[in-house]
Amino acid sequence: MKSTRITRRRSASSGARIKTIVAHVVLVCITLATLYPILQIVGISLRPADRLYSTSLRLIPEDATGHAYYSILFEKEFPLWLRNSAIVSGIVTLIGVFLAATAGYAFSRFKFVARKSGLYSLLIAQMFPATMLLLPLYVLMKGLQLLDSLGGLAIAYVVTALPFCVWTMKGYYDTIPKELEEAALIDGASYWRAFRTVVLPLAAPALAITAIFSFMAAWSEFMVARVIINTRTLYTLPLGLESLSSTFQTEWANYAAGSVLVSLPVVILFLFLNRYFVSGLTLGGVKQ
Amino acid sequence: MFLSRFTSDRRLFPYTLVLPTAIVMLIVVLYPLIYNFILAFKNMSMYHFQDSTFVGFRQFAEVFGQRELYWVFGKTVVWTVVNVFFHVTIGVTIALILNGRIYGGGIFRSLLILPWAVPQYISALTWKGMFNHEYGSVNLILMKVFHHAPIPWFSDATWAFVAPIITNVWLGFPFMMIVALGGLQSIPHELYEAADLDGAGALGKLRNVTIPLLRPILAPAVVLGTIWTFNNMNVIWLVTGGGLPADKTHILVTYIYKAAFTYYRYSYAAAFSVIVFFLLLGFVFASMRYFKITESAFE
């Protein structure tokens, strides 16, 4: 009697052990498959120029060289594209954060006409097929002579991340106790002052997420830029890298090196913020 | 001070706060939207840029009269359903594994989030290179490791449609993984202990505890993911180089994009956009009603 119980328990625990092993094996396989394209692009960026037609499956070539990095940084227009992207993304981030911070606060704290419809409109605005807005924007900018300008591109970008950012800010303000600014108001502060000096500093984490989101939206957008920008010197990073990748033979290593340079800061940022995503996304989405 | 009235009056202040956003949204969203509706009833194209006139429903008639609408719509549905299906199943599976006792769980989570972190156009272009017939690593692996004949990724219409789907599945599962992980971590442990006491097996716990409690968290993400996938131009456009071979690999948004910006058929594209807009709007309202997504936000 006693012995059967022991063996049963032992078999249960060895079953659990097998399950753990299987889970780890599956996880390692999925992770390797996931990482492969990323490792591949790093590997290509290290290839010497005469090895671009390689049919080898080695990830890191045996005669790895950093020449493509030198080439793209000092011989190509890459720094220019970087500058253009930084300007556009910078403008979009500043405007985006300002708009989301103020509008989100109103949606969180005040009852006013069009509050509900405003929140809905923002949500629906994010769902338009891009062509629906892009086409008229293109025709308009052609009329306003804003085509082929970084400013025109920034205007088109401002709203891409805005709906998400306003909703995120609203969700975050909702978690900050109202009593804090009520105390400031009793002390005679104006609404604006209470918002700016009491609430806004507390909302710093949400402001950071909003900033990153706006920046990323502009930093990695391709289709709108393709329509609005024509001149090669005004290319943003996506346009520039695309132009390199389309000539598969000659510029493939340069494209890869450029991609690594562009992705690296974003990847580091994501890894750094990783832990906040899990709580942040669910907090914004559903509250119980 | 004139301004101080707006910042000290309880009724005026919220409008002051919303005004800048409202103005921007009006200029960049509402105005183009109305413009697009008007454009849809005109005949603006490369030949009629300055002298376009109203032609009534002619553009709509043309869209509905063409076979294109139906096969592009069909492909869009396939594209969306297949992508979202794999995003959710892969994402939730990994989340379930990561939620168990895993050595280095944090490291795995960090690594698996990477497809989400790399800018989408870089991933798309990289995959396009990997699908290259002769030098792409996908075919090289097929030949060298699996001794399989190389696949003509971009000369065959079906494979050329499979390639961007593979790319987009790779791109999209981390988002669902993170959402599912957040959801799983919010499920109280006591519920599993209670299920243990009731003698529930692993499958029973999945069906009676995990899935019902994960559903409300996952549902908004799935609806959002569906809309993103439906409207995602970047991936399919970049991977197939704008519809290769012979415009056979389009979803609605890339088809319209090409009509507008490669063939300059502005009004035709506008009419097509309007149709897609109403399709999406119907989907959004139906799903919002069904899943009660925004309910909690208005409390």
Side-chain angles (χ1 to χ4, degrees):
Chain A
M1 185 70 196
K2 199 179 176 188
S3 67
T4 52
R5 194 186 287 163
I6 288 172
T7 46
R8 194 183 294 159
R9 190 179 296 160
R10 190 175 291 157
S11 76
S13 78
S14 81
R17 188 169 300 157
I18 290 171
K19 234 169 74 182
T20 319
I21 292 170
V22 170
H24 280 85
V25 170
V26 171
L27 204 56
V28 169
C29 290
I30 294 176
T31 309
L32 287 178
T34 303
L35 289 185
Y36 183 77
I38 295 165
L39 297 174
Q40 162 97 8
I41 205 70
V42 175
I44 291 172
S45 74
L46 296 172
R47 277 187 202 166
D50 61 343
R51 191 80 41 79
L52 291 176
Y53 297 98
S54 172
T55 53
S56 151
L57 279 175
R58 280 182 71 115
L59 273 177
I60 305 295
E62 57 259 51
D63 44 1
T65 159
H67 184 259
Y69 289 91
Y70 178 86
S71 169
I72 196 144
L73 281 175
F74 300 107
E75 296 166 2
K76 301 283 169 193
E77 290 143 316
F78 183 83
L80 199 62
W81 302 335
L82 194 73
R83 191 202 67 147
N84 294 339
S85 268
I87 291 173
V88 173
S89 304
I91 296 173
V92 172
T93 309
L94 281 178
I95 301 177
V97 168
F98 174 76
L99 294 178
T102 49
Y105 185 63
F107 283 123
S108 166
R109 287 296 200 267
F110 297 92
K111 295 258 181 285
F112 55 97
V113 181
R115 172 176 178 270
K116 200 166 169 173
S117 57
L119 276 171
Y120 264 122
S121 314
L122 282 170
L123 212 58
I124 293 168
Q126 211 193 6
M127 290 158 190
F128 292 137
T131 49
M132 189 147 191
L133 304 178
L134 184 52
L135 181 56
L137 264 181
Y138 169 79
V139 178
L140 273 179
M141 286 192 188
K142 196 164 183 164
L144 294 171
Q145 313 238 305
L146 276 171
L147 273 191
D148 217 11
S149 77
L150 296 177
L153 193 58
I155 292 171
Y157 281 164
V158 163
V159 296
T160 46
L162 194 56
F164 176 86
C165 292
V166 173
W167 273 83
T168 308
M169 290 305 303
K170 178 209 172 283
Y172 198 85
Y173 289 133
D174 285 348
T175 66
I176 300 173
K178 263 183 187 172
E179 290 74 28
L180 291 173
E181 72 245 56
E182 272 160 12
L185 289 171
I186 288 166
D187 289 346
S190 70
Y191 282 100
W192 175 253
R193 202 181 150 82
F195 164 61
R196 215 177 50 99
T197 56
V198 179
V199 183
L200 211 53
L202 290 172
L207 288 172
I209 296 239
T210 304
I212 289 162
F213 209 79
S214 305
F215 188 89
M216 289 277 296
W219 185 250
S220 39
E221 203 291 327
F222 172 78
M223 303 298 276
V224 177
R226 178 180 175 269
V227 167
I228 290 183
I229 303 293
N230 265 316
T231 315
R232 216 181 145 88
T233 49
L234 286 178
Y235 271 11
T236 52
L237 286 166
L239 292 174
L241 287 178
E242 202 265 349
S243 74
L244 292 181
S245 83
S246 53
T247 54
F248 188 87
Q249 291 83 350
T250 48
E251 305 267 28
W252 196 229
N254 288 336
Y255 157 75
S259 297
V260 173
L261 290 177
V262 172
S263 307
L264 209 60
V266 185
V267 166
I268 291 170
L269 199 65
F270 257 69
L271 293 181
F272 185 68
L273 293 171
N274 186 4
R275 66 179 65 229
Y276 301 106
F277 279 137
V278 176
S279 56
L281 271 172
T282 38
L283 190 79
V286 182
K287 278 184 290 140
Q288 288 175 332
Chain B
M1 269 282 286
F2 175 73
L3 257 177
S4 69
R5 259 201 73 198
F6 287 93
T7 61
S8 54
D9 187 314
R10 181 155 181 99
R11 277 167 307 140
L12 284 179
F13 187 53
Y15 296 104
T16 320
L17 286 173
V18 175
L19 197 65
T21 300
I23 292 172
V24 171
M25 293 300 285
L26 286 177
I27 297 172
V28 191
V29 179
L30 193 65
Y31 185 75
L33 198 66
I34 294 166
Y35 197 113
N36 186 83
F37 272 88
I38 296 170
L39 202 60
F41 293 96
K42 288 181 151 190
N43 65 345
M44 192 190 268
S45 66
M46 187 162 53
Y47 309 108
H48 299 279
F49 195 81
Q50 302 289 357
D51 59 338
S52 58
T53 50
F54 279 93
V55 294
F57 283 93
R58 212 171 76 192
Q59 305 292 353
F60 291 93
E62 194 178 340
V63 175
F64 281 113
Q66 271 175 331
R67 274 225 186 93
E68 258 90 349
L69 172 71
Y70 306 100
W71 70 253
V72 177
F73 178 70
K75 285 204 170 173
T76 311
V77 171
V78 173
W79 159 265
T80 310
V81 170
V82 172
N83 270 312
V84 174
F85 173 79
F86 282 113
H87 288 163
V88 174
T89 44
I90 297 176
V92 171
T93 307
I94 298 176
L96 282 171
I97 297 176
L98 282 179
N99 202 45
R101 238 171 251 149
I102 290 289
Y103 293 103
I107 295 168
F108 281 115
R109 196 184 60 195
S110 304
L111 292 176
L112 287 167
I113 210 177
L114 286 179
W116 191 18
V118 177
Q120 221 176 46
Y121 72 95
I122 287 179
S123 311
L125 291 169
T126 302
W127 275 93
K128 179 188 168 196
M130 284 170 53
F131 286 120
N132 184 280
H133 188 77
E134 279 170 86
Y135 305 110
S137 52
V138 176
N139 273 354
L140 289 176
I141 290 173
L142 276 179
M143 291 190 311
K144 291 189 173 174
V145 182
F146 297 101
H147 302 288
H148 187 285
I151 290 173
W153 287 106
F154 295 121
S155 44
D156 179 89
T158 310
W159 287 118
F161 194 56
V162 174
I165 289 179
I166 294 174
T167 307
N168 202 50
V169 167
W170 180 85
L171 263 167
F173 81 83
F175 173 75
M176 290 296 173
M177 176 188 88
I178 291 295
V179 172
L181 208 53
L184 288 175
Q185 287 175 359
S186 73
I187 298 176
H189 219 265
E190 295 82 54
L191 287 175
Y192 288 107
E193 281 158 17
D196 272 334
L197 286 178
D198 291 343
L203 214 65
K205 275 187 271 187
L206 190 69
R207 191 173 336 136
N208 297 317
V209 181
T210 312
I211 291 177
L213 286 171
L214 201 55
R215 213 186 74 108
I217 290 166
L218 215 51
V222 171
V223 174
L224 209 61
T226 306
I227 295 160
W228 285 342
T229 311
F230 193 94
N231 278 335
N232 188 335
M233 281 196 284
N234 287 312
V235 176
I236 189 161
W237 179 279
L238 288 171
V239 172
T240 64
L244 286 174
D247 278 340
K248 290 248 168 60
T249 48
H250 279 299
I251 55 174
L252 287 165
V253 278
T254 58
Y255 184 80
I256 297 170
Y257 189 85
K258 194 152 188 173
F261 300 112
T262 305
Y263 304 126
Y264 307 109
R265 304 175 67 191
Y266 299 118
S267 283
Y268 171 78
F272 216 139
S273 299
V274 169
I275 295 167
V276 172
F277 167 67
F278 281 113
L279 277 174
L280 268 180
L281 201 67
F283 171 77
V284 168
F285 273 116
S287 52
M288 283 215 279
R289 188 151 287 192
Y290 184 72
F291 292 114
K292 301 182 170 67
I293 287 166
T294 48
E295 214 172 44
S296 64
F298 293 119
E299 279 160 5

